Amino acid sequence: SVVRGRPVLRLEPRQASAAGPRAELVYLHGGGYLFPMSDRQWATLAWLAETTGANLTVPAYGLAPEHQVDAALALLDEVMDGVHRAASAPRERNLSHPRSRVVVAGNSAGGGLALAHAIRSRDRGGPAADALVLFFPWVEASMTNPAAKALEPRDVTLRCVTLAAAARC
């Protein structure tokens, strides 16, 4: 589907449970807000689908510098409204679980975006996800925390100067 002009993928498990899905999972990809989903992230999605049996919703939020965080958060507002409706839809065969859980997962920049959206939803009194699953969330985009530089030698892929440049975008 398309939401606010952005593609939103909806993936359902091959082997659907007779009771219906136990979770609706929204996945936000990493990539420094600059890059689309990588092969590794698609592999993570495949693993999540296989191991959880959840329905997956994957919004392709707009990337910097052409798009800004406010547009991504507005997209997530609308996507999450749809996910909450899907989670609350009647499930004929499973009366003991009348509602699917809503889970938001994010990797790196997607984890930071998931957390920002959760805080924004809380502050606005909007519906909350039942759980957040954050894989190495990028939560301090300014990269001014001195501890980040101290940890840099242990990170095999990311550098503070590169992340700070991505944040400026």
Side-chain angles (χ1 to χ4, degrees), residues 85-131:
R85 279 192 304 278
S88 298
R91 295 168 49 197
E92 306 116 22
R93 296 187 183 131
N94 193 353
L95 299 177
S96 64
H97 295 283
R99 176 186 168 281
S100 296
R101 291 179 49 124
V102 174
V103 178
V104 178
N107 168 259
S108 190
L113 185 57
L115 183 60
H117 187 264
I119 292 168
R120 173 180 148 134
S121 293
R122 179 203 63 200
D123 292 351
R124 291 180 167 192
D130 296 302

Short mmCIF file of all heavy atoms in Angstrom, two decimals, residues 85-131:
data_model
loop_
_atom_site.label_atom_id
_atom_site.label_comp_id
_atom_site.label_asym_id
_atom_site.label_seq_id
_atom_site.Cartn_x
_atom_site.Cartn_y
_atom_site.Cartn_z
N ARG A 85 -5.69 -0.91 14.21
CA ARG A 85 -6.99 -1.40 13.73
C ARG A 85 -6.90 -2.88 13.38
O ARG A 85 -7.78 -3.67 13.73
CB ARG A 85 -7.47 -0.59 12.52
CG ARG A 85 -8.12 0.73 12.86
CD ARG A 85 -8.83 1.36 11.67
NE ARG A 85 -7.99 1.58 10.52
CZ ARG A 85 -7.17 2.62 10.36
NH1 ARG A 85 -7.10 3.55 11.29
NH2 ARG A 85 -6.45 2.75 9.27
N ALA A 86 -5.82 -3.27 12.69
CA ALA A 86 -5.64 -4.69 12.32
C ALA A 86 -5.51 -5.56 13.57
O ALA A 86 -6.05 -6.67 13.62
CB ALA A 86 -4.40 -4.85 11.43
N ALA A 87 -4.82 -5.07 14.58
CA ALA A 87 -4.63 -5.84 15.81
C ALA A 87 -5.94 -6.01 16.56
O ALA A 87 -6.13 -7.01 17.27
CB ALA A 87 -3.61 -5.15 16.71
N SER A 88 -6.85 -5.07 16.40
CA SER A 88 -8.12 -5.12 17.14
C SER A 88 -9.24 -5.78 16.36
O SER A 88 -10.34 -5.95 16.88
CB SER A 88 -8.55 -3.70 17.51
OG SER A 88 -7.60 -3.11 18.36
N ALA A 89 -8.97 -6.16 15.10
CA ALA A 89 -10.00 -6.79 14.28
C ALA A 89 -10.48 -8.08 14.92
O ALA A 89 -9.69 -8.81 15.52
CB ALA A 89 -9.46 -7.05 12.87
N PRO A 90 -11.77 -8.37 14.80
CA PRO A 90 -12.29 -9.60 15.40
C PRO A 90 -11.58 -10.82 14.82
O PRO A 90 -11.28 -10.88 13.64
CB PRO A 90 -13.77 -9.60 14.98
CG PRO A 90 -14.07 -8.22 14.57
CD PRO A 90 -12.79 -7.60 14.13
N ARG A 91 -11.33 -11.78 15.69
CA ARG A 91 -10.66 -13.01 15.28
C ARG A 91 -11.57 -14.17 15.63
O ARG A 91 -11.61 -14.61 16.77
CB ARG A 91 -9.31 -13.11 15.96
CG ARG A 91 -8.42 -11.97 15.47
CD ARG A 91 -7.18 -11.76 16.24
NE ARG A 91 -6.42 -12.96 16.47
CZ ARG A 91 -5.48 -13.05 17.37
NH1 ARG A 91 -5.19 -12.01 18.11
NH2 ARG A 91 -4.82 -14.16 17.55
N GLU A 92 -12.28 -14.66 14.61
CA GLU A 92 -13.34 -15.63 14.83
C GLU A 92 -12.89 -16.85 15.62
O GLU A 92 -13.60 -17.35 16.47
CB GLU A 92 -13.90 -16.13 13.49
CG GLU A 92 -14.36 -15.06 12.56
CD GLU A 92 -13.54 -15.01 11.29
OE1 GLU A 92 -12.89 -16.00 10.91
OE2 GLU A 92 -13.55 -13.96 10.67
N ARG A 93 -11.73 -17.38 15.31
CA ARG A 93 -11.33 -18.66 15.88
C ARG A 93 -10.62 -18.55 17.22
O ARG A 93 -10.29 -19.55 17.81
CB ARG A 93 -10.40 -19.38 14.91
CG ARG A 93 -11.09 -19.74 13.63
CD ARG A 93 -10.15 -20.58 12.80
NE ARG A 93 -10.78 -20.87 11.53
CZ ARG A 93 -10.21 -20.72 10.37
NH1 ARG A 93 -8.97 -20.30 10.29
NH2 ARG A 93 -10.85 -20.99 9.27
N ASN A 94 -10.33 -17.37 17.66
CA ASN A 94 -9.51 -17.26 18.86
C ASN A 94 -10.15 -16.27 19.84
O ASN A 94 -9.70 -15.15 19.97
CB ASN A 94 -8.10 -16.83 18.52
CG ASN A 94 -7.16 -17.00 19.68
OD1 ASN A 94 -7.57 -17.32 20.79
ND2 ASN A 94 -5.89 -16.79 19.43
N LEU A 95 -11.17 -16.72 20.52
CA LEU A 95 -11.88 -15.84 21.44
C LEU A 95 -11.09 -15.54 22.70
O LEU A 95 -11.31 -14.54 23.36
CB LEU A 95 -13.23 -16.46 21.80
CG LEU A 95 -14.16 -16.66 20.60
CD1 LEU A 95 -15.44 -17.35 21.04
CD2 LEU A 95 -14.45 -15.36 19.90
N SER A 96 -10.11 -16.41 23.04
CA SER A 96 -9.32 -16.16 24.25
C SER A 96 -8.27 -15.07 24.03
O SER A 96 -7.72 -14.53 24.97
CB SER A 96 -8.64 -17.45 24.73
OG SER A 96 -7.72 -17.89 23.75
N HIS A 97 -7.97 -14.76 22.77
CA HIS A 97 -7.03 -13.68 22.44
C HIS A 97 -7.73 -12.73 21.47
O HIS A 97 -7.54 -12.80 20.27
CB HIS A 97 -5.75 -14.23 21.80
CG HIS A 97 -4.94 -15.07 22.72
ND1 HIS A 97 -4.16 -14.54 23.70
CD2 HIS A 97 -4.81 -16.41 22.81
CE1 HIS A 97 -3.57 -15.51 24.36
NE2 HIS A 97 -3.95 -16.66 23.84
N PRO A 98 -8.57 -11.84 22.00
CA PRO A 98 -9.38 -11.00 21.12
C PRO A 98 -8.59 -9.94 20.36
O PRO A 98 -9.10 -9.33 19.46
CB PRO A 98 -10.37 -10.35 22.08
CG PRO A 98 -9.67 -10.35 23.39
CD PRO A 98 -8.81 -11.58 23.40
N ARG A 99 -7.33 -9.75 20.70
CA ARG A 99 -6.54 -8.69 20.07
C ARG A 99 -5.11 -9.17 19.91
O ARG A 99 -4.55 -9.79 20.79
CB ARG A 99 -6.59 -7.46 20.97
CG ARG A 99 -5.77 -6.31 20.52
CD ARG A 99 -5.81 -5.21 21.61
NE ARG A 99 -4.84 -4.20 21.36
CZ ARG A 99 -3.54 -4.30 21.64
NH1 ARG A 99 -3.06 -5.37 22.17
NH2 ARG A 99 -2.72 -3.32 21.38
N SER A 100 -4.52 -8.88 18.76
CA SER A 100 -3.11 -9.17 18.55
C SER A 100 -2.26 -8.13 19.27
O SER A 100 -2.67 -6.98 19.43
CB SER A 100 -2.76 -9.12 17.06
OG SER A 100 -3.44 -10.11 16.35
N ARG A 101 -1.10 -8.54 19.69
CA ARG A 101 -0.16 -7.57 20.27
C ARG A 101 0.41 -6.70 19.16
O ARG A 101 0.57 -7.16 18.04
CB ARG A 101 0.98 -8.32 20.97
CG ARG A 101 0.55 -9.05 22.21
CD ARG A 101 1.72 -9.78 22.81
NE ARG A 101 2.85 -8.86 22.90
CZ ARG A 101 3.51 -8.56 24.00
NH1 ARG A 101 3.21 -9.15 25.11
NH2 ARG A 101 4.50 -7.72 23.99
N VAL A 102 0.73 -5.47 19.48
CA VAL A 102 1.37 -4.55 18.54
C VAL A 102 2.80 -4.35 19.02
O VAL A 102 3.03 -3.92 20.15
CB VAL A 102 0.63 -3.19 18.46
CG1 VAL A 102 1.40 -2.21 17.60
CG2 VAL A 102 -0.78 -3.40 17.93
N VAL A 103 3.74 -4.68 18.14
CA VAL A 103 5.17 -4.58 18.45
C VAL A 103 5.82 -3.70 17.41
O VAL A 103 5.56 -3.85 16.21
CB VAL A 103 5.84 -5.98 18.45
CG1 VAL A 103 7.32 -5.87 18.73
CG2 VAL A 103 5.15 -6.90 19.46
N VAL A 104 6.66 -2.78 17.84
CA VAL A 104 7.44 -1.96 16.92
C VAL A 104 8.90 -2.33 17.12
O VAL A 104 9.41 -2.31 18.24
CB VAL A 104 7.23 -0.45 17.18
CG1 VAL A 104 8.09 0.38 16.23
CG2 VAL A 104 5.76 -0.09 17.02
N ALA A 105 9.55 -2.70 16.01
CA ALA A 105 10.96 -3.08 16.05
C ALA A 105 11.73 -2.15 15.12
O ALA A 105 11.22 -1.72 14.09
CB ALA A 105 11.15 -4.53 15.62
N GLY A 106 12.96 -1.84 15.51
CA GLY A 106 13.78 -0.99 14.67
C GLY A 106 15.24 -1.28 14.88
O GLY A 106 15.67 -1.68 15.96
N ASN A 107 15.99 -1.11 13.81
CA ASN A 107 17.43 -1.34 13.81
C ASN A 107 18.15 -0.02 13.61
O ASN A 107 17.83 0.73 12.69
CB ASN A 107 17.77 -2.32 12.68
CG ASN A 107 19.25 -2.40 12.41
OD1 ASN A 107 19.74 -1.82 11.47
ND2 ASN A 107 19.96 -3.10 13.26
N SER A 108 19.11 0.29 14.49
CA SER A 108 19.97 1.46 14.37
C SER A 108 19.12 2.74 14.24
O SER A 108 18.40 3.09 15.16
CB SER A 108 20.94 1.28 13.20
OG SER A 108 21.92 2.28 13.22
N ALA A 109 19.19 3.41 13.10
CA ALA A 109 18.39 4.62 12.92
C ALA A 109 16.90 4.30 13.06
O ALA A 109 16.14 5.08 13.63
CB ALA A 109 18.67 5.26 11.56
N GLY A 110 16.48 3.14 12.57
CA GLY A 110 15.09 2.72 12.71
C GLY A 110 14.70 2.53 14.17
O GLY A 110 13.57 2.78 14.57
N GLY A 111 15.66 2.07 14.99
CA GLY A 111 15.42 1.94 16.43
C GLY A 111 15.24 3.30 17.08
O GLY A 111 14.38 3.48 17.95
N GLY A 112 16.06 4.26 16.67
CA GLY A 112 15.91 5.62 17.18
C GLY A 112 14.58 6.23 16.76
O GLY A 112 13.90 6.89 17.56
N LEU A 113 14.17 5.97 15.51
CA LEU A 113 12.89 6.47 15.02
C LEU A 113 11.73 5.80 15.77
O LEU A 113 10.75 6.47 16.14
CB LEU A 113 12.78 6.23 13.52
CG LEU A 113 11.57 6.80 12.81
CD1 LEU A 113 11.46 8.31 13.01
CD2 LEU A 113 11.64 6.46 11.32
N ALA A 114 11.85 4.51 16.03
CA ALA A 114 10.81 3.79 16.78
C ALA A 114 10.66 4.38 18.18
O ALA A 114 9.54 4.60 18.66
CB ALA A 114 11.15 2.30 16.86
N LEU A 115 11.78 4.64 18.83
CA LEU A 115 11.74 5.22 20.17
C LEU A 115 11.17 6.64 20.15
O LEU A 115 10.33 7.00 20.99
CB LEU A 115 13.13 5.21 20.80
CG LEU A 115 13.21 5.71 22.23
CD1 LEU A 115 12.33 4.87 23.16
CD2 LEU A 115 14.66 5.69 22.71
N ALA A 116 11.59 7.44 19.17
CA ALA A 116 11.06 8.80 19.06
C ALA A 116 9.54 8.78 18.85
O ALA A 116 8.81 9.56 19.46
CB ALA A 116 11.74 9.54 17.91
N HIS A 117 9.07 7.85 18.02
CA HIS A 117 7.63 7.76 17.78
C HIS A 117 6.89 7.31 19.03
O HIS A 117 5.81 7.81 19.34
CB HIS A 117 7.32 6.83 16.61
CG HIS A 117 5.87 6.86 16.26
ND1 HIS A 117 4.98 5.94 16.74
CD2 HIS A 117 5.16 7.75 15.52
CE1 HIS A 117 3.77 6.24 16.29
NE2 HIS A 117 3.85 7.33 15.56
N ALA A 118 7.47 6.36 19.77
CA ALA A 118 6.83 5.90 21.01
C ALA A 118 6.71 7.03 22.03
O ALA A 118 5.65 7.19 22.67
CB ALA A 118 7.63 4.73 21.60
N ILE A 119 7.75 7.82 22.16
CA ILE A 119 7.71 8.95 23.09
C ILE A 119 6.69 9.98 22.63
O ILE A 119 5.89 10.50 23.42
CB ILE A 119 9.11 9.58 23.24
CG1 ILE A 119 10.05 8.60 23.96
CG2 ILE A 119 9.05 10.92 23.96
CD1 ILE A 119 11.51 8.99 23.91
N ARG A 120 6.68 10.26 21.34
CA ARG A 120 5.71 11.22 20.79
C ARG A 120 4.28 10.73 21.00
O ARG A 120 3.40 11.51 21.40
CB ARG A 120 6.01 11.41 19.30
CG ARG A 120 5.01 12.24 18.55
CD ARG A 120 5.46 12.32 17.11
NE ARG A 120 4.36 12.41 16.20
CZ ARG A 120 4.31 13.25 15.20
NH1 ARG A 120 5.30 14.09 15.00
NH2 ARG A 120 3.29 13.27 14.39
N SER A 121 4.03 9.45 20.76
CA SER A 121 2.68 8.90 20.97
C SER A 121 2.27 9.01 22.43
O SER A 121 1.13 9.36 22.74
CB SER A 121 2.63 7.43 20.52
OG SER A 121 2.78 7.35 19.13
N ARG A 122 3.21 8.68 23.32
CA ARG A 122 2.92 8.80 24.76
C ARG A 122 2.56 10.24 25.11
O ARG A 122 1.57 10.51 25.79
CB ARG A 122 4.13 8.35 25.57
CG ARG A 122 3.92 8.47 27.08
CD ARG A 122 5.20 8.57 27.85
NE ARG A 122 5.91 9.79 27.47
CZ ARG A 122 7.21 9.97 27.67
NH1 ARG A 122 7.95 9.02 28.22
NH2 ARG A 122 7.80 11.09 27.32
N ASP A 123 3.37 11.18 24.65
CA ASP A 123 3.16 12.58 24.99
C ASP A 123 1.85 13.13 24.42
O ASP A 123 1.25 14.03 25.01
CB ASP A 123 4.34 13.43 24.51
CG ASP A 123 5.62 13.15 25.28
OD1 ASP A 123 5.57 12.43 26.30
OD2 ASP A 123 6.69 13.62 24.84
N ARG A 124 1.42 12.60 23.30
CA ARG A 124 0.17 13.04 22.67
C ARG A 124 -1.03 12.26 23.17
O ARG A 124 -2.15 12.51 22.73
CB ARG A 124 0.27 12.91 21.16
CG ARG A 124 1.24 13.89 20.55
CD ARG A 124 1.29 13.70 19.06
NE ARG A 124 1.97 14.83 18.45
CZ ARG A 124 1.97 15.07 17.17
NH1 ARG A 124 1.35 14.26 16.34
NH2 ARG A 124 2.60 16.10 16.69
N GLY A 125 -0.80 11.25 23.99
CA GLY A 125 -1.90 10.43 24.48
C GLY A 125 -2.43 9.45 23.44
O GLY A 125 -3.56 8.98 23.54
N GLY A 126 -1.61 9.15 22.43
CA GLY A 126 -2.02 8.23 21.38
C GLY A 126 -1.88 6.78 21.80
O GLY A 126 -1.36 6.48 22.88
N PRO A 127 -2.34 5.87 20.95
CA PRO A 127 -2.23 4.45 21.29
C PRO A 127 -0.76 4.03 21.32
O PRO A 127 0.04 4.45 20.49
CB PRO A 127 -2.99 3.75 20.15
CG PRO A 127 -3.00 4.71 19.03
CD PRO A 127 -2.94 6.09 19.64
N ALA A 128 -0.44 3.21 22.28
CA ALA A 128 0.94 2.76 22.46
C ALA A 128 1.10 1.34 21.93
O ALA A 128 0.17 0.54 21.97
CB ALA A 128 1.32 2.81 23.94
N ALA A 129 2.30 1.05 21.48
CA ALA A 129 2.65 -0.33 21.13
C ALA A 129 2.73 -1.13 22.43
O ALA A 129 2.99 -0.58 23.50
CB ALA A 129 3.98 -0.36 20.39
N ASP A 130 2.50 -2.41 22.32
CA ASP A 130 2.64 -3.29 23.49
C ASP A 130 4.10 -3.53 23.83
O ASP A 130 4.43 -3.81 24.98
CB ASP A 130 1.95 -4.63 23.23
CG ASP A 130 0.44 -4.44 23.06
OD1 ASP A 130 -0.19 -3.92 23.99
OD2 ASP A 130 -0.09 -4.82 22.00
N ALA A 131 4.97 -3.42 22.83
CA ALA A 131 6.40 -3.66 23.06
C ALA A 131 7.22 -2.95 22.00
O ALA A 131 6.76 -2.74 20.87
CB ALA A 131 6.70 -5.16 23.03
#
